[in-house]
Amino acid sequence: MKLNNKRTIFVGFAFFLILAFWQAYDTIVPLILTNKFGMSQFWSGAIMALDNILALFLLPLFGTLSDKHKGKSGRRTPFIRFGTIAAVILLVALTFADTAQLKQINAVATVDDPAALELIYDTQADRELVRPNKKAATLQEETFKLSDELSREDFVAIRSTVTEDGKETTNPDYVNFIVPARQAYVWQITSQSPQPLILFVGILLLLLLAMATFRSPAVALMPDVTIKPLRSKANAIINLMGYIGGIFVMVLGMIFATGATENYMMSYTGYFCAVAGLMLVALCIFLWKVREPKWVAEMHEESIRLGLSEAEEPENGAKRKLSAGEKCSLLLVLASVVLWYFGYNAISSKYSVYATNILGKDFNLTLTVGTAAAIVSFVPVGIFSSKIGRKKAILLGVALLTAAFCTAIFVGPGSSDVLIYAIFVLAGIAWATINVNSFPMVVEMCSDGDVGKYTGYYYTASMAAQTLTPLLSGYLMDKLGMGILFPYAAIFVAGSFVTMLFVKHGDAKPEAAPNK
């Protein structure tokens, strides 16, 4: 048995464009909602959660529909083609709402502009504001009035960055006074003229609908064309392709300087168009190289030759029922998926805000380092997992991810960049170890005709967590301060270690060492 690496790479271009989109979505949409529309962390999380609710129902639906679809280009390819084109159009359309809101708040859109700061102070001086960088131990919000804390002259004199020991860092006064005052002003403008917000949320919902139509079919294509014993290795390559897509988008973020303090209120038109172009290029390569019906037939022929159990199951044929033990293991794996996504997605969706306001770091570079570590480790992790088994590999990954998040709790604005990068390298390797093995464990328990449906189950679990965790983490960040982010993530990831301990099915037999 030998994996066709070249073929798997071409299949992986579908996942490349999916993660390219989600990288842009997770980092930029929260910034737009909080910075340009003035929403709190809780309500920005609520908007993202509303988007994700669609996926809870649509991912298994379109997975099942693709199982039943018959066409010249195969079961999965038509969904990938249509969904990507629709998503690209809607991503570009999203920039119109972003631009419309930017025009409304143009008077305060320039960072460190004295005229903008004067306007903010004059309109917000006597209003109750919520301080974002607080360390409260209770659920009571820390509120204040600008007029009680600073004079107009002192407020206008605050700049976004300061130099300490020869190193430029975010000014704490900027975070504690300018950010909440500007956010309150922007929300006041949004409340008076909500049309751009309504347009933005409407397009966002359609965009998530478009992505949901092909995510399950795109992921299900890998097991369609790969025999069961090789699926962890194949999934390593698929994830590698996905994360390469993500790192391309991070590089675009650095090129457009989306994480720079001076670009706090920048226009994202050029950035989103570049991301859309990247998605289209990946789709074109996928459609050019992937021959789904031929590759599926060849997979079944190889299964027959090797005497695998799945060779006895006709495509779209009778469904195999799970035993009681398999059902229990399936539920435990899905519960683990929920828990580690609760932790990990809280970081991926909120770290851009956390890094900008608390650490004073460029979040693009930090996330790029973590993603690069995951990319480098995917293939070695796939080989390593085939030696020790999927379950043991996942438990190791969960332990490493918990350790990374626990260490990050103690990182502050003055912490060494090397320490921060080391934490994200560890997190990247850990996340790669988890991702390579979790999806194959789910589809290991189903028949060939149910791969799309079980893929939908897997993504329903992950999207359920991604629906709720921005809401819950945003609420806690509003109430307890942004410093709660990493403890929150560590607790949920640690919980997934417990549920995985009791999983008994879905593992692949570790490969025996060759005889010498």
Side-chain angles (χ1 to χ4, degrees), residues 28 32 131 142 163 173 191 205 286 347 407 495:
I28 300 303
I32 294 175
R131 200 185 310 278
E142 184 182 339
T163 302
D173 287 340
S191 301
L205 289 170
F286 175 87
I347 303 301
T407 305

Side-chain angles (χ1 to χ4, degrees), residues 345-399:
N345 190 253
I347 303 301
S348 65
S349 63
K350 295 295 184 182
Y351 183 72
S352 59
V353 177
Y354 183 89
T356 301
N357 292 307
I358 302 301
L359 300 181
K361 307 290 184 182
D362 184 341
F363 61 86
N364 283 301
L365 183 57
T366 308
L367 293 174
T368 299
V369 169
T371 303
I375 288 174
V376 170
S377 61
F378 271 127
V379 173
V381 161
I383 297 171
F384 174 72
S385 300
S386 70
K387 303 298 183 184
I388 69 168
R390 293 167 184 160
K391 178 181 174 179
K392 289 181 180 178
I394 288 175
L395 289 173
L396 176 61
V398 168

Side-chain angles (χ1 to χ4, degrees), residues 397-411 419 422-428 430 486 490:
V398 168
L400 291 176
L401 190 60
T402 302
F405 290 163
C406 285
T407 305
I409 295 171
F410 303 100
V411 171
L419 174 61
I423 289 170
F424 274 80
V425 165
L426 181 61
F486 280 101

Side-chain angles (χ1 to χ4, degrees), residues 27-181:
T27 55
I28 300 303
V29 171
L31 291 177
I32 294 175
L33 292 174
T34 55
N35 295 349
K36 292 185 179 177
F37 290 105
M39 289 185 167
S40 67
Q41 292 299 324
F42 174 80
W43 286 111
S44 70
I47 292 295
M48 296 187 76
L50 286 174
D51 295 337
N52 291 337
I53 286 172
L54 287 173
L56 293 177
F57 305 99
L58 295 177
L59 291 181
L61 171 63
F62 284 103
T64 301
L65 288 176
S66 68
D67 281 339
K68 298 176 180 179
H69 179 75
K70 295 180 180 179
K72 291 183 179 180
S73 56
R75 293 187 292 173
R76 321 296 184 187
T77 300
F79 291 86
I80 296 169
R81 180 172 52 240
F82 168 80
T84 301
I85 293 172
V88 163
I89 293 171
L90 290 164
L91 183 60
V92 174
L94 201 64
T95 65
F96 293 101
D98 176 60
T99 300
Q101 178 66 6
L102 192 57
K103 288 180 180 178
Q104 286 198 149
I105 60 172
N106 185 61
V108 298
T110 303
V111 174
D112 293 339
D113 176 24
L117 296 177
E118 289 173 355
L119 175 60
I120 292 171
Y121 189 91
D122 291 342
T123 56
Q124 307 301 316
D126 296 321
R127 294 188 62 189
E128 277 202 346
L129 304 175
V130 179
R131 200 185 310 278
N133 188 19
K134 55 187 181 297
K135 303 295 183 182
T138 69
L139 291 180
Q140 296 298 316
E141 293 180 335
E142 184 182 339
T143 60
F144 69 100
K145 289 184 179 180
L146 279 179
S147 58
D148 294 337
E149 303 270 348
L150 296 169
S151 67
R152 188 173 189 264
E153 291 73 21
D154 290 339
F155 181 84
V156 173
I158 295 174
R159 292 298 175 262
S160 58
T161 59
V162 293
T163 302
E164 296 179 354
D165 300 325
K167 185 178 180 180
E168 190 174 75
T169 185
T170 301
N171 187 349
D173 287 340
Y174 176 81
V175 174
N176 290 329
F177 299 111
I178 303 291
V179 169

